[in-house]
Amino acid sequence: MSEVVYQTMAAPPALQGHVRYFWALEDGNTQEERKTFRTMADGCPGLIFQHADAGAFFQQHKRLPEIFLFGQTTRYAEIELAGNFNTVGVYLYPNALQTIFGYGPVELTNSCLDLNLFAKKQGFRLSEELSDARSSGDKINILSNYLFTQVNRNQKQANPSMQYALQQILASKGTLSLKNLQQNLKMPERSFHRNFKEHTGISPKLFSRICRFQASLKQLNEVNYDKLSDIAYCHDYADQSHFIRSFKEFSGMSPIQYQKQATAVMENLSEIRG
């Protein structure tokens, strides 16, 4: 991945409860070769804009929209880039599909929609404005203004109990007892699971497993271990085999295969070799 510039930008104060951060990828390579990338479950929705003049993303041989909004992913996926990166995106918080767009997150789990078509119905020329923008910073400002307008128009408040549950699971990196969490909230088990899924798009158990996988992936990427069993026990997996099975479920490869075949481009996006 030579000549690729990756940068992140913090969300403005008005969006900090909805947006984790903005990001941009630019590729100085002039060769328009097709590259394969793998995305992994990370517990968060988001949106991506790829300038059509630079290239296009494909998934299962189907061209993705120029700008698309995606929901929770519970499994890995492969995408191809035909051309070069001229890409900006937004990592959202798990409940942001509701608070920004008023969209039921379950509807977009493992799916995406053409955000330009959604925006046009509200009178926005989002794709055209982004295409005309001269720099990644200008594009991020356009997206920021659009999201701020959506928040004000939607005025959907987050469920305080589910926000608390999210924060506790994230803080524990997925190792928190859900039974204890449910009892702390003084909520029947069925209601807790239903409300959490309505809030995020997936069950609390699956969200916890993804958080635990993400914590182990970070440790693997940082090479902060002596042997794989260290990672397994650090993140409360029963043993190394359980850790490997979970890693393969969410990444599509074993930890060893990941180290040999993947090069991280940015958070949860890796170029796959061979």
Side-chain angles (χ1 to χ4, degrees), residues 207-226:
F207 183 77
S208 295
R209 293 182 60 233
I210 291 172
C211 288
R212 189 158 51 153
F213 158 71
Q214 280 292 322
S216 67
L217 176 63
K218 181 180 180 181
Q219 187 174 355
L220 187 73
N221 281 332
E222 292 175 351
V223 198
N224 183 22
Y225 63 95
D226 292 324

Side-chain angles (χ1 to χ4, degrees), residues 41 74-76 206 208-214 216 237 239-255:
T74 64
R75 53 182 181 261
Y76 66 92
L206 181 53
S208 295
R209 293 182 60 233
I210 291 172
C211 288
R212 189 158 51 153
F213 158 71
Q214 280 292 322
S216 67
Y237 288 100
D239 52 38
Q240 183 172 318
S241 63
H242 281 81
F243 163 56
I244 293 172
R245 282 201 297 273
S246 178
F247 196 95
K248 289 181 73 173
E249 177 184 354
F250 294 125
S251 73
M253 57 183 69
S254 72

